[in-house]
Amino acid sequence: MKYFITTSIPYINGEPHIGHTYELLAADVLARYARSRGKKVILSTGTDEHGGKNEEKAKELGKSVKEYADEMSQRWRELGPLVNMSNDRFIRTTDPGHEQRAALIWKTLSKFIYKGKYSGWYCTGCEAFVTESTAKANKGTCPIHNRPYEKIEEDNYFFKLSSFSKQISEAITSGTFRIIPTTRKNEVLGILKEGLEDISISRPKEKISWGIAVPDDPAQVMYVWFEALMNYITVLGYPEHPDFKEFWPADVQVIGKDISRFHALIWPGMLFGLGIALPELLYVHGFINIEGKKISKSLNNVIHPKEVIDKHGVDAFRYYILRHTPSYDDGDFTWEKFEAAYNGELANELGNAVSRTEAMIIRYQRGLIGDIPPSEHDSAGYHKYLADCRFDRALEEVWEQVRGLNQYIDEQKPWEIAKSKDEEHLRQVLAYMCSDLLQIAELLLPFLPETSAKIKDIFGTGIIKPTKGTLFPKTIQQK
Ligand SMILES: [Zn+2]
């Protein structure tokens, strides 16, 4: 069984921060989960590198655009390994392979492409065409970039998105193209009810030169968004490569809520135009705030994940982001909340369950565990939550089991049993604790891969292999 999962590819202009890690981690959990179930996985991520904004920025810095793109792409690329993301591919839209395949896709879509005149507004900051009503509502200035919209009147190519409205809506309502959460799905269906308009998909080269040339019209370059979406199939070698034939359609595409229109409307339109299947599932996540505020340079509240990971380890970081960001909503990072989760849930609950079990088996049985019974816990809820991308709930399920184990230890009081000299009973109780921990380790594998491996290492062989130190040392002073 194959499993293809993608993240969106971030636009390289801008600095990666903690908010960008949610998507990488969500996709990584699903990929690791699929691998653990024996599937053949491709997890793809990358960077989106064309467009006027990068051209502007490079000029400002006195660099060539290519030089600038190389530097920035590298900075984004480092984010994956930092959070222990297990991506198999990293695509850059400036890769020659992507550029050539993009031209091929354009040609294949040509029956749905026509030349016309675009007259309207554009924000280079957003690299987006802006409708008259939006421009009016914002009084002519982009609220995100605080710069006036440019009035443009130019020859563009258009894509007949309007002709796919019905097919897209049917795919969504019938569930062949799932969008979760439901709130996002309903937003998309709301837009579809109005019917889709054709979209402009190119810019004149004289205005934006940093882009992929439109085939047979060197005076035009592809609109960066239109071209970036193609990465999801160019990365597999569309149309002829065996990977494409084997792995498309994507099982899951993970994106942020700000770009759901591109992925739920334009992208499916393109796929219908190409005559290939839509992804099975689009998972739309929220944003991470810091102390309740949007992460922004101007608020000076940017936290790089490295700050957290250097102090407390990558699994603690992964844990906080995945458990304490609501999977269907926005989340909030504060050092206080992070430390509370670290001390309470990781050190006190999970860490203690592991160290108590380990210590007692060493003390009472010289490290010998003996036969470990299979775990009796029902993990159906956990699997259901993962199928629905409810990472927060799936981890909650695991933690219920962790708490249950601590409670079991408190109730059984193995130290009392040891005094009573009932060795067989003691051995059974301790073996049960091991069995529970091994199952917990299995369930944690997609989320906290290092911790999962450590737990399996300690208890997995029938003889305790003592850990050096504790899993989550209390490096944080409790206030
Ligand atoms: Zn803007």
Side-chain angles (χ1 to χ4, degrees):
M1 281 284 275
K2 68 89 186 173
Y3 190 85
F4 178 46
I5 176 164
T6 67
T7 70
S8 65
I9 50 171
Y11 202 71
I12 49 171
N13 169 287
E15 295 291 329
H17 58 63
I18 201 167
H20 301 110
T21 61
Y22 184 83
E23 184 163 317
L24 304 187
L25 292 179
D28 186 53
V29 167
L30 294 174
R32 287 180 188 271
Y33 179 64
R35 284 190 207 103
S36 76
R37 292 160 74 86
K39 292 188 182 168
K40 191 172 162 194
V41 175
I42 293 182
L43 166 58
S44 166
T45 186
T47 43
D48 176 9
E49 304 183 16
H50 290 118
K53 200 163 28 168
N54 294 325
E55 217 170 335
E56 259 180 19
K57 189 75 192 177
K59 198 182 251 175
E60 206 181 293
L61 298 169
K63 291 178 178 166
S64 75
V65 204
K66 177 74 173 101
E67 217 180 330
Y68 174 71
D70 286 347
E71 268 172 39
M72 292 308 292
S73 176
Q74 183 56 30
R75 219 172 288 186
W76 285 93
R77 188 190 286 258
E78 285 163 7
L79 204 55
L82 180 69
V83 298
N84 199 6
M85 183 195 196
S86 62
N87 58 297
D88 307 276
R89 307 260 163 115
F90 189 95
I91 183 169
R92 300 180 58 185
T93 55
T94 51
D95 289 340
H98 172 80
E99 297 188 343
Q100 287 158 13
R101 291 176 193 282
L104 206 67
I105 290 169
W106 183 286
K107 283 186 191 161
T108 312
L109 287 173
S110 60
K111 359 174 221 227
F112 304 105
I113 291 174
Y114 60 93
K115 205 163 189 180
K117 244 192 178 55
Y118 178 82
S119 165
W121 305 96
Y122 191 83
C123 173
T124 303
C126 301
E127 295 286 9
F129 296 95
V130 177
T131 61
E132 195 62 48
S133 56
T134 307
K136 206 174 250 173
N138 294 329
K139 300 194 176 71
T141 301
C142 172
I144 302 166
H145 297 95
N146 214 5
R147 61 194 264 177
Y149 295 124
E150 291 161 58
K151 176 87 188 173
I152 56 175
E153 265 195 57
E154 57 191 35
D155 285 339
N156 281 347
Y157 286 95
F158 287 79
F159 175 61
K160 282 190 195 166
L161 186 60
S162 60
S163 53
F164 298 108
S165 293
K166 197 161 164 262
Q167 276 167 280
I168 298 170
S169 271
E170 276 169 9
I172 296 171
T173 45
S174 71
T176 48
F177 176 43
R178 275 175 79 204
I179 300 174
I180 53 175
T182 313
T183 46
R184 300 294 164 207
K185 173 176 139 181
N186 291 340
E187 271 170 23
V188 170
L189 287 172
I191 300 168
L192 280 162
K193 221 183 234 169
E194 310 285 309
L196 299 174
E197 285 173 23
D198 292 349
I199 54 160
S200 174
I201 54 165
S202 74
R203 301 290 320 268
K205 197 174 172 77
E206 57 181 34
K207 292 194 183 157
I208 291 183
S209 65
W210 185 242
I212 302 176
V214 167
D216 306 320
D217 188 350
Q220 294 269 325
V221 299
M222 296 182 196
Y223 169 47
V224 58
W225 259 109
F226 190 68
E227 166 251 300
L229 289 167
M230 300 174 187
N231 93 85
Y232 302 125
I233 53 175
T234 64
V235 74
L236 294 177
Y238 171 86
E240 85 296 350
H241 196 281
D243 283 350
F244 173 72
K245 290 172 187 157
E246 183 179 356
F247 283 89
W248 190 261
D251 295 79
V252 187
Q253 300 207 264
V254 184
I255 60 158
K257 63 180 183 181
D258 54 332
I259 52 175
S260 67
R261 288 177 186 220
F262 291 97
H263 289 82
L265 299 168
I266 299 177
W267 178 229
M270 292 163 72
L271 293 169
F272 276 124
L274 292 169
I276 59 177
L278 268 43
E280 310 260 327
L281 171 66
L282 183 68
Y283 163 54
V284 186
H285 65 80
F287 292 152
I288 294 176
N289 294 318
I290 289 181
E291 315 227 352
K293 293 198 181 74
K294 196 180 156 188
I295 302 177
S296 103
K297 237 188 209 164
S298 56
L299 288 174
N300 201 22
N301 66 351
V302 181
I303 294 178
H304 195 279
K306 201 168 182 314
E307 287 177 58
V308 184
I309 292 167
D310 282 351
K311 277 191 203 152
H312 307 294
V314 69
D315 274 4
F317 179 78
R318 291 172 65 103
Y319 175 80
Y320 183 85
I321 296 294
L322 291 161
R323 169 104 186 265
H324 293 285
T325 307
S327 305
Y328 288 180
D329 208 339
D330 291 346
D332 193 38
F333 180 93
T334 73
W335 282 103
E336 220 175 347
K337 285 185 202 165
F338 175 82
E339 287 167 12
Y342 184 95
N343 286 323
E345 292 150 24
L346 292 173
N348 286 346
E349 291 176 343
L350 178 60
N352 262 347
V354 169
S355 59
R356 290 162 96 186
T357 306
E358 179 185 336
M360 286 190 264
I361 294 170
I362 291 173
R363 180 161 174 200
Y364 302 131
Q365 297 177 169
R366 295 189 317 272
L368 284 175
I369 307 169
D371 287 343
I372 301 175
S375 177
E376 289 154 17
H377 272 279
D378 176 13
S379 51
Y382 165 94
H383 296 292
K384 171 81 176 71
Y385 285 134
L386 273 179
D388 290 335
C389 303
R390 293 234 55 168
F391 309 105
D392 52 351
R393 295 264 175 93
L395 276 172
E396 184 57 39
E397 291 274 310
V398 181
W399 249 257
E400 265 178 38
Q401 196 172 333
V402 172
R403 289 193 197 108
L405 174 58
N406 278 319
Q407 202 181 342
Y408 174 85
I409 300 172
D410 292 341
E411 284 166 6
Q412 292 290 324
K413 300 187 175 60
W415 50 92
E416 300 283 342
I417 307 174
K419 278 185 212 156
S420 77
K421 308 274 183 215
D422 185 348
E423 280 173 26
E424 184 48 27
H425 184 204
L426 179 62
R427 204 201 64 76
Q428 280 171 7
V429 167
L430 294 175
Y432 173 84
M433 287 154 57
C434 289
S435 146
D436 218 9
L437 281 170
L438 286 171
Q439 192 192 22
I440 288 165
E442 194 52 42
L443 301 178
L444 285 179
L445 184 140
F447 293 92
L448 314 180
E450 289 182 358
T451 305
S452 167
K454 281 182 195 163
I455 298 173
K456 286 182 190 172
D457 201 40
I458 302 169
F459 301 103
T461 62
I463 300 171
I464 295 287
K465 271 206 247 157
T467 31
K468 291 192 196 85
T470 46
L471 287 187
F472 295 98
K474 286 209 181 167
T475 54
I476 299 166
Q477 295 302 310
Q478 306 243 34
K479 280 174 207 143

